[in-house]
Amino acid sequence: MRPVFEVHATDGAARAGVLRTAHGEVRTPAFMPVGTKGTVKSLDPDEVHDLGAQILLGNTYHLHFRPGDEVIRDLGGLHRFMAWDLPILTDSGGFQVFSLRDTIARVDDEGVTFRSVYDGASTHFSPELAAAIQANLGSDIAMCLDQVPAAGVSRRDLEAAVRRTTLWAERQRSAPRPDGQLRFGITQGGVDAELRRRSTEEIAGLEFDGNAIGGLAIGEDRDVMFETTDWAAALLPADKPRYFMGIGDPEGILEVIEAGVDMFDCVLPTRTARTGSALTRDGRINLRNARFARDQGPLDETCDCPACSRFTRAYIRHLVNQNELLGLRLLSLHNLRFLTDLTRGARDAIDCGGFASYKRDRIERLQWADS
Ligand SMILES: [Zn+2]
């Protein structure tokens, strides 16, 4: 049997490889668009695929409550439900629960009790339930339930989260999973060197199919976050995929790839679209800006997406200003294409040993035109 993950090229710490799942291969580094509620907002799954996405992320928290993971199971699983026949990674719900801090009633070693954002119903998540929900969804990669503390919490709270995250990972590891489903552990520890190292060693010791760096990109200092990622990624097993949870800005993507990360996800392409903004090689532009009123150029001159091949900035600006749905769709198509293209470029650069100059060139251009 071929291994789940193979690295076929390295360039410094950066690596290019392939991850094999029950629904096909993913070439890494890979950007994973987020289909929070079973959809990448406003896009058809065929479009998402055509834009270069190889794997989607689905949210356990939201799908558990609406329409319900048992409903999705009875309808044939998440792939069939949303008509996406390629790999799907599901998160554990931990990040949502802990980022909706006001809804949490109690956290202890057993699990976390909170009120659903949908109807306020009291709900209990445990590692076993996180495994059961993701089994019902039938994802290719299931994530462990982790405790995500806010950036800047006391060291005592951070340490408690590290201890509990390992405890929960051990329990989830013993829970049943469907044939062929991969399971990834998640490390915590914020930017505290000792705690991050401890968490990384404990989670790596559990020998999951892959490992994630969690609890970063949640509001801490960016430079410290990247420094932490540099050494924390290197501590994770080299023969397994490394996933940085929740980064998707162009500079951030290039930084974590350089650190040796293979996968990353973010809602940024569609969220940025909802603010009327486009990612371009020269930085982010907001189409609401009056300077685009008569601009006949595409969003990005080097982009081959459906928006850039047919429509002008002036037209998309008009759509955005009138809150037309097509404006949101065109910006989402473009932003997603921009990030899959940036990531594909990084893969190619690693393959030929030119990642450092690729990263430098891309970041230099990004610096000079944020508007
Ligand atoms: Zn485009």
Side-chain angles (χ1 to χ4, degrees), residues 279 298-300 303-309 330 333-335 337-338:
L279 306 169
L299 293 173
D300 185 315
C303 182
D304 61 359
C305 85
C308 292
S309 52
L330 292 176
L333 288 164
H334 167 77
N335 288 340
R337 177 61 184 159
F338 182 84

Side-chain angles (χ1 to χ4, degrees), residues 23 38 45 71-86 88 136-140:
H23 284 82
V71 172
I72 292 175
R73 175 199 62 201
D74 294 348
L75 293 171
L78 184 57
H79 294 86
R80 186 188 289 183
F81 186 58
M82 65 182 291
W84 170 265
D85 204 30
L86 294 166
I88 295 176
N136 284 340
L137 297 173
S139 54
D140 299 283

